[in-house]
Structure formats: structure tokens, C-alpha cells
Amino acid sequence: MEGQKAELEQQKSSYQAVQEQIEQLDEDRENLEARITAIENLQVDAELPVRILDEISNRTPTRRLWLNSLRLHEQSLEIAGIGLDNPTVAQYMRDLTSSPLLAEADLVSSAQTEVGGHRLQAFSLRIGIKPRQAVAEPEGGEEATE
């Protein structure tokens, strides 16, 4: 029994080195996963302003409304512009909130103004930006590869 016990102890000590390697590999894997997550978050943060501007551009009716200013903050977007009338501004707000990137739109101000002898509607909007997790994947699911 003593001989068998000694043999088992020897086998156990030989496996100790393998166990330590496994633990080191697990630790290295966790570090790499944390780095990959950080890189992915940086990519999303870098792409988000471009994607938001693209959404705004695609959803702005060029013949009925134009923008004077656009300010992007961390979780909101402020837009000021002029539209032909109130229904045009209201439809624009609905179009913006149907975007997968943009949340609710609040009308901050609206006033009639005269431009070139025409009575138009000046407006200011505040629009929420959806959280990063909700916008991380582009529309259509997986990203296309080149």
C-alpha cells in the first residue's frame, strides 16, 4: 500500500504542472477576452456618430425641411432647422424615431419664421440615442465581409 501511495503521489505531482498550465491558460484567455471586448466597444463608439449622421441624412426630406445645426452629445442629439409647416416637422420626428439608432424625439421649440418672403416653421428637437448594446449590430444582422 505504501508503494502504491508513493506512486500515486508521484503521479499527482506530475499533474500539478499541467494543472498550473491550465490555470495560466484560463487567466490568459480571460485577459484576451477583456481586450477583445474593449476593442469592440471602441469600434462601436467610433462608428456610431457616422451611423447617426447617415440616419439623419437619409431621413431628412430635402424638399420640405432643412437643418441649420446638429449637435451630438453622448446620449442625445440636438437638431435645429426649418420646415415648410408643422405636419412636416411632426412627420420628420416620427421618421427619426423609427430609426434603429435613435430613441424618442422631443420638440424643444417651434416658431413661425419668415424666409425669403415665405412663412416657414423653425424648430428645435432633442433626440435620444439608443444604448450601445442596442445599436452594436448593423441592420440586417451580421456584418458583410469584404
Side-chain angles (χ1 to χ4, degrees):
M1 290 292 263
E2 289 295 322
Q4 206 175 21
K5 181 180 177 184
E7 186 179 321
L8 289 174
E9 289 292 330
Q10 185 180 4
Q11 284 180 349
K12 181 180 173 185
S13 66
S14 70
Y15 293 138
Q16 185 64 31
V18 172
Q19 180 65 30
E20 289 173 3
Q21 278 184 318
I22 290 172
E23 289 172 359
Q24 183 61 43
L25 288 172
D26 283 342
E27 186 178 318
D28 291 347
R29 180 182 49 84
E30 288 175 7
N31 287 338
L32 287 173
E33 286 175 354
R35 288 180 182 177
I36 289 170
T37 300
I39 290 169
E40 288 171 348
N41 289 341
L42 288 172
Q43 275 184 311
V44 169
D45 289 345
E47 294 171 357
L48 188 59
V50 174
R51 291 176 60 199
I52 288 173
L53 287 174
D54 185 50
E55 284 291 316
I56 298 294
S57 173
N58 290 334
R59 295 174 189 275
T60 301
T62 57
R63 296 186 185 267
R64 299 191 55 82
L65 183 138
W66 67 90
L67 303 180
N68 293 334
S69 71
L70 187 132
R71 287 192 184 127
L72 180 62
H73 301 287
E74 285 197 26
Q75 294 301 318
S76 67
L77 178 67
E78 294 176 5
I79 295 176
I82 297 177
L84 290 182
D85 50 26
N86 278 330
T88 300
V89 174
Q91 183 61 47
Y92 184 56
M93 290 173 65
R94 282 191 293 275
D95 289 347
L96 290 176
T97 57
S98 69
S99 165
L101 302 176
L102 304 174
E104 74 288 341
D106 296 321
L107 183 64
V108 175
S109 67
S110 177
Q112 227 176 36
T113 186
E114 191 168 313
V115 177
H118 299 283
R119 298 187 117 203
L120 302 173
Q121 199 66 33
F123 66 91
S124 177
L125 305 175
R126 183 171 294 121
I127 304 160
I129 297 172
K130 290 186 180 172
R132 177 187 350 198
Q133 294 80 12
V135 300
E137 288 296 318
E139 287 185 53
E142 297 179 16
E143 290 185 31
T145 54
E146 293 182 28

